[in-house]
Amino acid sequence: MAAHHHRAGSRRRRLSTPTASPGWALLLRQFATTRRPLLRLLAWSVVEALPPLLSGLLVSAAVDRGFLAGRPGAGVAWLAGFGAATVLRAFAARAGFPHLAAVVEPLRDALVTRVVRSALARPVADAAEVARLTEQVESARQLTATLLRTLRGVGITLAAALIGLALLAPAVLPLVLLPLLAAGLLFARLLRPLVERRRAVVLAEERFAAEAGRALHGLRDVQATGTQTQVAAALAEAAGTSAAASRALGRASALRALVVALGGRLPVLVVLTAAPWLLAHDVLTAGELLGVATYLLQQLDPAVRTLAGTVGGWLLGLAVVLDRLATASAADAPTARSTAGGATARDTSLCLTALRYAHAPTAEPVLDGLDVTIGAGEHVAVVGPSGAGKSTLAGLLAGLLTPTSGDLTIGGEHPSPGDRTRVVALLPQEAYVFPGPLRENLTWLAPDATDAQLTRAIEVVGAGELVTRLGGTDAVLTDPAALSAGERQLLALVRTYLSPAPVIVLDEATCHLDATAEDQAERAFAARPGTLVVVAHRISSALRADRVLLLDGGRGTLARHGDLQVLSPLYRELVGHWLDSTPRNNSASHTGHAP
């Protein structure tokens, strides 16, 4: 149950925290390589905009200057001009297809390349996962092609209709623009929750598929061990999660009908309501009113319905698919997250390129070709089986170990050993507390810390009760060995929190605390300005992090917790192990007593 609340809290935090989309970044980078066909496609789209632009003007002229003026031939000629423009639009639509292919096919090739390279770089490739990613590549190609083909027509049509309205009847334009702007703002406001809910649906469906596949694959083992009830319960939970995600998406998607009503239907209703007054006061002629109606009914309303309905759904699907491909196939650097304490004074991004480390020249490397980028201000949890290199990575980040090969930069630079100690603060599992005044222990890394800063650090880390029991900050520690391992960790956490270093590395530095104390300490460090790397030993540490770095076989996979559960069978096993051991872990005392 506790794990469930942690997962829910983690999901809420991700929903409420603005984050950059790695999928859109991937798409924009690819589009930058196909600028020429994109520009040509745009040029033909402008030609396609001629009929929507001229439609209302030509209808108005046909009525006022032709039929109502007693010149039916002239009226037919104006309408024939509209027909000729429509033929030109059909030719432009056909001419744009080769340029559309020149944009979409390189995107498909680039995505396939990413998926293949990612699969080859992993110690063990999951065939089912690679198949899912391949399907998503094709889905991304089809969605991109469909969106570009539809958006260029709908977007140009909408712009042309508004320009035509401004030319034909400027007095009517405010009646149309106000509800249209309201609809646009509402649609923009809905996009983020819609994308998040669509992503939740995809992850939930993939998790259910993965769980069902594992259950079917191990059906004999399930029957032999008599765990049918537990497996059925796990599948029911996954199915319930998937259904709940689909219902949440449906509720959010229903609001798109309001966008259509505001942007497409309301302008028509407003203009029709005002039509008698506009005609009576000679603001519009009969032909101009018909021209306005042509723009609204034949151009604006269908465009809004298409954008909010069909295109909106495709856009959400493409956003989720691209994010999944970008996250699963490699790891672009994220935008730095904002922290509760403000921005850091320097760039604290960590970039590991082809990083390799072996304890001896002939020894098997612990890390072998590790490529990871951690954004400035990001909170990353490092997980993996025993011996995967988690503590080795912590030592490399802190400068205690030197890479055998590869590159490790902080803020794009290679800090000197002296500067490294000022930039990175490492807190290992075994905390060091020396005899002497407690204040000196706590302010060892920040000797100029004020009383207010010290008091706040003690409170936010959760060491207030311990410091009070020891006699306050002015107490003297005569025998640090008399303190439990958990108590020493709490004091060391306060010391590290006060450190001016903008990068904090906690190498199982809370392993002797109970789950509640660990939660408070890690949340304090997460809210502290700077980059946080936590070598995790509980599932809760991974749930609290922005992303999780899974180490295995010398390589690493960096993704969100929910994505890793789908992408990595090893991570699912680690999570299952953590959840199975949660009661034992939660019973541990923060004073370091055994459970």
Side-chain angles (χ1 to χ4, degrees):
M1 183 63 70
H4 172 75
H5 290 314
H6 281 308
R7 287 195 295 270
S10 177
R11 286 193 296 268
R12 286 191 294 269
R13 186 170 67 253
R14 287 197 294 270
L15 284 174
S16 61
T17 304
T19 56
S21 167
W24 290 127
L26 173 64
L27 184 65
L28 291 176
R29 284 199 302 272
Q30 180 58 32
F31 278 172
T33 66
T34 54
R35 289 175 182 165
R36 182 170 295 181
L38 273 174
L39 291 175
R40 290 175 177 172
L41 185 63
L42 179 62
W44 283 112
S45 299
V46 172
V47 177
E48 284 188 69
L50 287 177
L53 175 64
L54 298 175
S55 60
L57 293 170
L58 292 176
V59 167
S60 173
V63 172
D64 288 338
R65 302 180 189 179
F67 300 114
L68 292 182
R71 302 168 57 198
V76 171
W78 286 111
L79 295 179
F82 178 62
T86 303
V87 172
L88 180 62
R89 182 181 189 181
F91 175 78
R94 182 179 181 277
F97 271 98
H99 307 299
L100 178 64
V103 173
V104 174
E105 297 308 317
L107 171 66
R108 190 267 310 275
D109 295 342
L111 293 176
V112 169
T113 301
R114 286 175 65 93
V115 170
V116 172
R117 286 179 177 173
S118 175
L120 293 176
R122 294 176 189 169
V124 179
D126 187 340
E129 173 198 339
V130 174
R132 283 196 300 270
L133 292 176
T134 304
E135 290 176 2
Q136 289 172 353
V137 166
E138 183 60 23
S139 177
R141 185 190 74 83
Q142 293 178 355
L143 285 170
T144 302
T146 304
L147 275 170
L148 284 176
R149 187 172 65 248
T150 306
L151 276 176
R152 74 188 185 100
V154 173
I156 290 293
T157 296
L158 187 60
L162 293 176
I163 294 173
L165 275 173
L167 294 174
L168 178 64
V172 175
L173 196 59
L175 303 179
V176 175
L177 281 180
L178 289 177
L180 189 61
L181 287 175
L185 291 174
L186 177 60
F187 187 63
R189 178 65 182 83
L190 288 174
L191 274 180
R192 182 178 294 275
L194 283 172
V195 169
E196 292 293 345
R197 283 165 173 76
R198 177 62 67 90
R199 180 183 292 117
V201 168
V202 172
L203 289 176
E205 289 177 348
E206 290 189 355
R207 182 191 170 202
F208 177 67
E211 293 289 346
R214 291 174 62 195
L216 291 173
H217 183 72
L219 191 57
R220 291 184 178 179
D221 294 335
V222 171
Q223 293 174 340
T225 56
T227 55
Q228 295 95 328
T229 302
Q230 294 90 325
V231 172
L235 288 174
E237 180 188 1
T241 302
S242 178
S246 298
R247 287 193 295 269
L249 176 62
R251 288 192 295 269
S253 300
L255 293 175
R256 286 187 294 180
L258 184 57
V259 174
V260 174
L262 277 175
R265 307 294 168 77
L266 186 58
V268 176
L269 180 61
V270 171
V271 170
L272 289 179
T273 303
W277 185 91
L278 294 172
L279 291 172
H281 291 78
D282 295 327
V283 176
L284 293 180
T285 64
E288 289 171 343
L289 182 59
L290 285 176
V292 169
T294 300
Y295 283 127
L296 295 181
L297 295 174
Q298 294 188 2
Q299 316 297 345
L300 183 68
D301 181 55
V304 170
R305 280 190 283 110
T306 302
L307 284 174
T310 307
V311 172
W314 291 338
L315 195 65
L316 296 177
L318 180 61
V320 173
V321 168
L322 287 175
D323 273 359
R324 296 286 291 110
L325 288 171
T327 302
S329 62
D332 297 323
T335 303
R337 68 179 175 92
S338 59
T339 58
T344 56
R346 60 183 293 173
D347 183 2
T348 56
S349 60
L350 306 173
C351 185
L352 288 63
T353 306
L355 197 68
R356 188 176 187 272
Y357 179 83
H359 294 297
T362 57
E364 187 76 15
V366 181
L367 299 176
D368 190 11
L370 182 62
D371 289 294
V372 172
T373 300
I374 299 174
E378 192 175 12
H379 175 187
V380 169
V382 182
V383 303
S386 179
K390 302 185 292 296
S391 293
T392 299
L393 176 60
L396 289 168
L397 293 175
L400 300 180
L401 301 175
T402 302
T404 304
S405 63
D407 193 34
L408 195 164
T409 61
I410 301 176
E413 302 176 352
H414 299 87
S416 64
D419 191 33
R420 179 74 69 95
T421 60
R422 291 187 291 272
V423 176
V424 182
L426 168 65
L427 183 55
Q429 179 177 346
E430 297 303 324
Y432 173 67
V433 178
F434 56 83
L438 180 59
R439 179 184 294 272
E440 291 184 10
N441 265 284
L442 299 178
T443 61
W444 184 19
L445 300 177
D448 297 328
T450 64
D451 289 343
Q453 290 172 328
L454 178 57
T455 300
R456 182 178 183 278
I458 292 171
E459 290 177 353
V460 297
V461 171
E465 181 181 343
L466 173 61
V467 171
T468 300
R469 183 160 50 83
L470 292 175
T473 56
D474 294 327
V476 176
L477 297 177
T478 57
D479 184 15
L483 297 173
S484 70
E487 290 170 338
R488 290 195 297 272
Q489 282 190 336
L490 273 178
L491 297 180
L493 286 165
V494 175
R495 175 197 301 155
T496 307
Y497 185 90
L498 285 170
S499 166
V503 179
I504 301 295
V505 180
L506 303 181
D507 184 8
E508 297 197 16
T510 58
C511 64
H512 296 298
L513 304 182
D514 63 29
T516 302
E518 180 186 65
D519 179 78
Q520 180 172 351
E522 283 191 10
R523 289 187 186 279
F525 277 92
R528 179 185 184 273
T531 302
L532 176 63
V533 178
V534 178
V535 176
H537 67 285
R538 287 193 182 107
I539 180 63
S540 53
S541 294
L543 291 172
R544 280 188 290 266
D546 296 329
R547 291 193 294 170
V548 180
L549 172 60
L550 173 65
L551 295 180
D552 182 37
R555 302 294 181 89
T557 302
L558 183 62
R560 287 175 293 222
H561 164 75
D563 292 340
L564 269 182
Q565 283 191 300
V566 174
L567 296 174
S568 171
L570 172 62
Y571 188 69
R572 290 197 295 270
E573 291 179 10
L574 288 173
V575 170
H577 172 72
W578 274 328
L579 293 178
D580 289 342
S581 61
T582 294
R584 295 194 301 272
N585 288 338
N586 284 346
S587 64
S589 166
H590 74 273
T591 59
H593 298 158

